[in-house]
Structure formats: structure tokens, C-alpha cells
Amino acid sequence: MNKQMLVDNWLHEQEIAYIKGWDFSHIRNRYTEEDDLPWDFGKIINTYLRDTDCLLDMETGGGEFLLSFNHSPNLCAAIEGYEPNIKICEDRLLPLGIDFKPADGGDKLPFDDEYFDVVTNRHGKYEINELKRVLKKGGLFLTQQVGAENDRELVNLLIGDLDCPFPEAYLKFAVQEFKENGFEILEEGESFNPIKFYDVGALVWFARIIDWEFPNFSVEKYQNNLFKAQELLEKEGAIEGKIHRYYFVAKKK
């Protein structure tokens, strides 16, 4: 494939870089990540979640993860603040009887004090004082988060050396904050795993979607770096970076 054909392909991926909910099916089989974490966050949640628990899923995306729990809809609530996903949640979750509210995880939560038995949060923002407020005594907060070192090699490859957007995003800092705020940590884990791309177009699409990690990225602006990525792909068979994940389960005392 000549250079112009490559650029045309990358520009096409840039143009169509849009997702509904948190759906990466467009690049399925073109990349791999998070397939072999040493824990399964969904299974961890199901270990703690009782049939009678009132559950809140924060930053629910399009509700996909919440629905995977198969929890009673009348005991489920969800929030989402990303505008394109709000309509999806309204259409998908409200008809099921799930209490969905448009809200951002870092702001005041639109629920009463001591309302929930369990709050889940997968890769979303949270505010610890709001968690303390809406959780019942003995209630649980379960979260899996993206760490500070996530995708840094890929950012360096495509854009260059940038300051880390979330330098405090490490398990030790998060756990310490919860302990200082009256929570007991029931379990925790942290992992660094490979992420691999098998074509540069998939990486372009990914970088445009994850714009907080790849700020102001465009094919036009970083074309030379994309050619370097193409050379690396042809030499190594894949473009490899590193994901950074951690999780913990915190109990309100």
C-alpha cells in the first residue's frame, strides 16, 4: 500500500471515529487489550452484589456493563454525563424501569442520603464525599480505574512526550484516600498489561476516541509519526503499548 493510500485510510478512520455507549466493536480483531487482567471486575461485583441490594452504576456509558449484572431493574440506578450517551441511556434503561439520571460522577449525585447498598464505577469519575453521602452504613464502593501510565508509549509514538493527564491515578493514592475518609478496603489489585494494534488505522480511530489521552491528535498534524508507526508495525507485526488498571472494594464504616 503506497503512502497516499495509507493516508486516505487513516483520514477515513479519523472521520468515522465515534462511539455509542462504550462500544469498541469497530476495531475488534484489529487490537487487543484488557483480555488478561489478573481479575474480572464483573465477577468481583457479582461476588458482593446481593439480590436485595439497591445499586448505582456511575458513568454507565450506554448501560452495557450495568445490564450484564442481570440485577432487578427496580433496584438499579445509573448516571451518565457524556452527552452522546445520555439519549442512549434514556432509550435503553428507562423503559426497563432503571432509575437513570443525566449526571457527572464528579459532581453532586442526584440521590438521597444513604440510599444505596452498592455503588459501582468502571473507569469513571467519582467524588469521595458524595460516595459517603449516598452509601448506607456498611455499603460498598467497587471501582476499576485507568491508571496514570495508561497508553503512554502510544501517546509518545503518535504525539510526543506529554505531561501525564492524571499523575495521581495509582492504587496506593486512591486506597489511602478512602482509608482516610472512613472506608475499609476489602480487596485491591493493580496491573500493567500490553495493548497491541495490528493496523495503524485502528490506532488512529482509538486515538481520536480517547482524546483526553491523545489531545489535539489528527492525521494531518502527526502524519510523519503515523508513518513511523507504520514502519514499526511492518517490522514487529504489531504496535504495542501498555495499559494500567487498578481496582478496589471499599466498605463504608
Side-chain angles (χ1 to χ4, degrees), residues 23-72:
D23 179 9
F24 277 56
S25 60
H26 175 68
I27 56 172
R28 185 181 295 132
N29 301 323
R30 301 166 66 191
Y31 93 121
T32 56
E33 72 159 324
E34 208 171 303
D35 296 327
D36 55 353
L37 289 175
W39 63 82
D40 183 319
F41 188 52
K43 288 183 179 179
I44 290 169
I45 291 170
N46 281 320
T47 298
Y48 290 94
L49 185 62
R50 301 167 301 185
D51 290 343
T52 57
D53 282 341
C54 191
L55 167 68
L56 168 64
D57 188 40
M58 302 177 66
E59 310 279 33
T60 196
E64 305 90 347
F65 191 55
L66 171 60
L67 294 176
S68 73
F69 304 154
N70 294 314
H71 199 56
S72 177

Side-chain angles (χ1 to χ4, degrees), residues 50 52-56 71 75 111-119 129-141 182-183 250-253:
R50 301 167 301 185
T52 57
D53 282 341
C54 191
L55 167 68
L56 168 64
H71 199 56
L75 293 174
F111 301 100
D112 293 338
D113 296 354
E114 299 185 351
Y115 192 83
F116 295 104
D117 301 287
V118 176
V119 176
N129 289 321
E130 279 297 288
L131 293 173
K132 288 174 67 175
R133 183 182 67 78
V134 301
L135 275 170
K136 299 175 184 177
K137 184 177 180 180
L140 301 177
F141 176 60
F183 284 82
K251 181 179 181 180
K252 179 181 171 181
K253 294 181 182 178

Side-chain angles (χ1 to χ4, degrees), residues 158-216:
L158 293 192
I159 296 179
D161 188 18
L162 296 179
D163 290 339
C164 178
F166 306 106
E168 298 296 312
Y170 288 90
L171 176 65
K172 61 181 180 181
F173 297 134
V175 163
Q176 185 61 33
E177 180 187 29
F178 275 78
K179 288 179 178 178
E180 291 173 354
N181 280 274
F183 284 82
E184 176 188 358
I185 304 301
L186 301 184
E187 62 175 281
E188 63 186 65
E190 188 165 28
S191 184
F192 301 87
N193 290 65
I195 178 172
K196 297 181 180 181
F197 287 84
Y198 304 108
D199 72 75
V200 176
L203 180 55
V204 167
W205 186 92
F206 181 87
R208 293 286 286 190
I209 294 295
I210 314 294
D211 55 358
W212 55 93
E213 288 187 349
F214 300 84
N216 302 311

Side-chain angles (χ1 to χ4, degrees), residues 34 36-39 144-150 171 188-194 242-247:
E34 208 171 303
D36 55 353
L37 289 175
W39 63 82
Q144 177 175 291
Q145 291 290 323
V146 177
E149 298 179 37
N150 195 65
L171 176 65
E188 63 186 65
E190 188 165 28
S191 184
F192 301 87
N193 290 65
K242 176 179 65 184
I243 67 169
H244 178 192
R245 299 285 187 273
Y246 60 91
Y247 88 96

